């Protein structure tokens, strides 16, 4: 697929259209032999406005075909001001999408549920003129983002909400035919509470609820994005638990992603009982910069996600992505003593890395992106706090890029095993031993070769093993004229 010329920040292995704004992944579904990925899309610019649903499909997660825009606001209709987030289900030969119908005069925070149907594998959709759920419960101060799934012989739906009593909630509905829905009450709801020791909390309301059902010997997970009316810190949270009738009973909340740049993830039920998750990684740079480049936002890598037997949420890149590994750029192992770094080799701007670091204070990797080493991204262990630190304080010499240092729990006293995928301006850091992940964006200015170093603290010994492969790009077909994307490439 054609891309913006000479743009060093545009990823090659992360899915997005040629230009313009995208945010939440929507409608993730396996239908008619293809993975379908819809997404929030502004076809007319690189800002959050004019929300449509863009659409890709793939037989294998590696080669993608752009399909025509699936949903567009209908002037004067129930969704006149935007087709906002939702999901899709496969029902025989039908592909049915459910989405939040936005109309500002109705309410900025209340988006009732609309639906549309495709009978041709997602190439065209016929919207229903009437709202499938036209009204929200009286005690809702925010209401949006349907998620529908099949549960035996019935269909169930969650809708994200904020309640007047201060609770965030996921509201539960039930249907036999995807058309007539009965409200059953909150599936789960609770007042704001801290998420671990992160300083984040579960929000005033819950956006984009997603449900990973329990399986034999494993609990389920209710995933939601913590929403705050006054633009407070956002995070993606999971509650791990079990169903009890029409309610979900869970323990304390946990983070789904420890980084600052993953939000509104969505689930896909894949063949073979596997579940995949994509998130939205927003820009971490000034809006005017993104607008000047003509694009904003990417989807994360598809991740395999499950609740482990120990009750923890575990994620890893989808197995298919191993096929994107190209040349073996770095293969290094050994020991280092003291603070003098060890150069491991040069690497491209998109790579897939695995590393094993023996436990040592300050043990870590540094990605140097300028020849003089003044610009770098750090990944290091903080043994004193039992955390893995991903530090972008010096990751860009351009003051328009955000900085910051972010942490996720890391077991001490045993080797640290990492899988790190860096793709031009996005880094996804997986702590393999625990299944945790941290996503952030960064914008290196250096135009020379990038280099990797192993590092440790003073008076420590570090054993390390690092392998890295340059990434091949996803294969994305050129958009055809009927997709609504073709004209973008000449802008």
């Amino acid at each position: 697929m054609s891309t913006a010329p000479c743009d060093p920040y545009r990823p090659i292995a992360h899915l997005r259209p040629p230009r313009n704004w995208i945010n939440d992944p929507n409608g993730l579904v396996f239908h008619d032999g293809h993975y379908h990925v819809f997404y929030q899309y502004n076809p007319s610019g690189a800002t959050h406005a004019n929300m449509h649903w863009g659409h890709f499909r793939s037989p294998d997660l590696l080669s993608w075909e752009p399909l025509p825009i699936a949903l567009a606001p209908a002037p004067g209709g129930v969704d006149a001001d935007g087709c906002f987030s939702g999901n899709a289900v496969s029902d025989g030969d039908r592909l049915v999408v459910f989405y939040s119908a936005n109309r500002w005069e109705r309410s900025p925070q209340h988006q009732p549920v609309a639906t549309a149907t495709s009978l041709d594998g997602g190439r065209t959709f016929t919207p229903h003129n009437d709202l499938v759920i036209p009204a929200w419960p009286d005690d809702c101060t925010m209401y949006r983002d349907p998620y529908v799934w099949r549960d035996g012989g019935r269909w169930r739906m969650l809708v994200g909400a904020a309640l007047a009593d201060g609770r965030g909630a996921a509201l539960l509905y039930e249907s036999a035919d995807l058309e007539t829905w009965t409200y059953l009450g909150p599936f789960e709801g609770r007042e704001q509470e801290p998420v671990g020791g992160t300083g984040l909390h579960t929000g005033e309301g819950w956006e984009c609820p997603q449900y990973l059902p329990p399986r034999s010997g494993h609990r389920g997970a209710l995933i939601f994005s913590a929403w705050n009316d006054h633009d407070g810190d956002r995070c993606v949270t999971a509650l791990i638990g079990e169903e009890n009738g029409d309610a979900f009973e869970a323990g304390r909340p946990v983070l789904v992603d420890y980084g600052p740049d993953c939000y509104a993830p969505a689930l896909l039920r894949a063949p073979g009982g596997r579940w995949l998750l994509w998130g939205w990684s927003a820009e971490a740079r000034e809006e005017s910069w993104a607008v000047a480049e003509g694009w904003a936002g990417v989807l994360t890598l598809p991740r395999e996600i499950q609740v482990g037997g120990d009750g923890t949420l575990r994620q890893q890149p989808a197995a298919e992505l191993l096929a994107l590994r190209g040349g073996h750029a770095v293969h290094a192992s050994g020991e280092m003593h003291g603070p003098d770094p060890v150069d491991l080799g040069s690497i491209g701007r998109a790579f897939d890395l695995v590393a094993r670091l023996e436990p040592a204070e300050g043990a870590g990797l540094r990605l140097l992106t300028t020849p003089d080493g003044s610009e770098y991204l750090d990944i290091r262990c903080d043994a004193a706090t039992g955390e893995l630190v991903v530090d972008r304080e010096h990751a860009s010499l351009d003051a328009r890029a955000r900085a910051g240092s972010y942490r996720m729990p890391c077991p001490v006293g045993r080797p640290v095993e990492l899988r790190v995928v860096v793709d031009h301006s996005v880094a996804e850091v997986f702590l393999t031993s625990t299944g945790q992940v941290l996503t952030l964006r960064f914008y290196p200015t250096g135009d020379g070769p990038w280099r990797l170093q192993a590092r440790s603290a003073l008076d420590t010994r570090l054993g390390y093993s690092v392998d890295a492969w340059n990434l091949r790009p996803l294969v994305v077909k050129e958009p055809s004229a009927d997709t609504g994307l073709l004209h973008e490439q000449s802008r």
Side-chain angles (χ1 to χ4, degrees):
M1 177 183 285
S2 299
T3 61
C6 303
D7 187 342
Y9 303 117
R10 185 185 178 88
I12 63 169
H14 287 71
L15 197 60
R16 62 155 291 117
R19 295 183 67 83
N20 297 324
W21 169 278
I22 74 165
N23 56 292
D24 304 4
N26 294 151
L28 306 186
V29 63
F30 190 83
H31 176 76
D32 195 26
H34 288 83
Y35 299 91
H36 291 260
V37 172
F38 302 82
Y39 52 92
Q40 291 283 278
Y41 176 56
N42 176 5
S44 55
T47 58
H48 184 272
N50 191 27
M51 286 294 99
H52 292 55
W53 274 32
H55 186 190
F56 285 104
R57 73 174 183 178
S58 170
D60 56 9
L61 302 180
L62 301 172
S63 58
W64 292 89
E65 176 187 4
L67 291 184
I69 288 173
L71 301 178
V78 297
D79 55 11
D81 295 311
C83 301
F84 280 22
S85 294
N87 85 320
V89 295
S90 177
D91 181 35
D93 62 351
R94 297 194 305 163
L95 187 56
V96 186
V97 301
F98 295 83
Y99 66 99
S100 302
N102 186 41
R103 187 160 180 162
W104 297 121
E105 67 182 28
R106 182 191 297 127
S107 166
Q109 300 300 349
H110 295 83
Q111 299 157 14
V113 180
T115 187
T117 301
S118 174
L119 297 175
D120 59 4
R123 294 200 66 82
T124 61
F125 281 85
T126 301
H128 295 210
N129 292 326
D130 297 325
L131 295 166
V132 67
I133 301 180
W136 49 86
D138 290 340
D139 62 342
C140 286
T141 58
M142 182 272 278
Y143 181 91
R144 56 174 167 265
D145 305 338
Y147 176 79
V148 178
W149 77 101
R150 188 191 294 274
D151 182 11
R154 62 184 175 175
W155 296 94
R156 309 198 104 186
M157 177 194 293
L158 298 178
V159 180
L163 304 182
D165 62 6
R167 290 181 296 158
L171 309 182
L172 180 63
Y173 294 78
E174 185 175 290
S175 174
D177 58 8
L178 294 175
E179 295 180 7
T180 301
W181 293 87
T182 300
Y183 177 51
L184 302 178
F187 187 56
E188 167 67 292
R190 55 181 70 187
E191 295 181 355
Q192 293 181 37
E193 60 181 289
V195 184
T198 63
L200 300 168
H201 60 79
T202 53
E204 299 170 35
W206 296 355
E207 294 187 296
C208 303
Q210 307 283 305
Y211 187 50
L212 185 64
R215 56 190 176 93
S216 178
H218 298 261
R219 287 179 282 177
L222 173 62
I223 297 170
F224 61 89
S225 296
W227 169 83
N228 295 288
D229 190 24
H230 303 293
D231 295 325
D233 289 335
R234 303 182 303 178
C235 63
V236 183
T237 301
L239 300 171
I240 310 298
E242 298 178 343
E243 293 182 50
N244 183 4
D246 294 329
F248 188 70
E249 297 180 348
R252 305 289 294 178
V254 297
L255 284 180
V256 174
D257 192 298
Y258 284 81
D261 300 321
C262 179
Y263 195 70
L267 292 171
L268 184 150
R269 188 172 199 157
R274 184 174 61 151
W275 286 85
L276 301 175
L277 176 144
W278 279 259
W280 163 44
S281 191
E283 297 301 311
R285 54 180 172 170
E286 289 183 4
E287 183 179 275
S288 59
W289 185 2
V291 169
E293 295 293 344
W295 66 276
V298 300
L299 300 186
T300 67
L301 298 174
R303 305 169 181 175
E304 297 176 9
I305 184 170
Q306 62 175 322
V307 177
D310 60 356
T312 61
L313 196 67
R314 303 184 66 87
Q315 299 175 71
Q316 64 179 355
E320 289 88 339
L321 301 183
L322 292 172
L324 294 180
R325 287 178 175 175
H328 199 168
V330 173
H331 175 64
S333 61
E335 289 187 358
M336 59 181 296
H337 300 267
D340 293 333
V342 174
D343 287 323
L344 305 179
S346 296
I347 197 73
R349 289 178 175 266
F351 61 86
D352 184 351
L353 174 151
V354 294
R356 178 185 172 94
L357 306 175
E358 297 299 328
E361 177 58 40
L365 301 173
R366 175 170 289 184
L367 174 63
L368 299 108
T369 54
T370 53
D372 65 359
S374 61
E375 185 180 78
Y376 55 86
L377 179 72
D378 264 348
I379 302 172
R380 63 178 182 271
C381 303
D382 186 337
T385 62
E387 293 172 310
L388 186 76
V389 181
V390 184
D391 186 348
R392 67 179 181 192
E393 282 290 339
H394 303 279
S396 180
L397 297 178
D398 194 315
R400 297 173 297 171
R402 293 186 196 138
S405 180
Y406 301 90
R407 296 168 174 261
M408 61 181 164
C410 181
V412 297
R414 61 177 181 175
V416 177
E417 296 184 355
L418 298 173
R419 172 99 177 262
V420 181
V421 180
V422 170
D423 189 2
H424 290 255
S425 64
V426 58
E428 296 182 56
V429 180
F430 295 84
L431 190 54
T432 307
S433 53
T434 65
Q436 297 170 124
V437 59
L438 189 157
T439 302
L440 55 71
R441 303 292 302 276
F442 70 117
Y443 304 88
T445 64
D447 56 6
W450 289 2
R451 294 177 293 127
L452 283 172
Q453 287 183 344
R455 305 177 70 88
S456 68
L458 182 67
D459 298 327
T460 60
R461 181 191 67 82
L462 170 63
Y464 60 87
S465 175
V466 180
D467 285 275
W469 297 262
N470 289 321
L471 277 178
R472 300 187 180 102
L474 295 172
V475 176
V476 184
K477 294 181 180 179
E478 291 288 341
S480 58
D482 66 347
T483 62
L485 301 174
L486 185 62
H487 67 284
E488 297 180 359
Q489 297 175 65
S490 61
R491 288 184 181 177

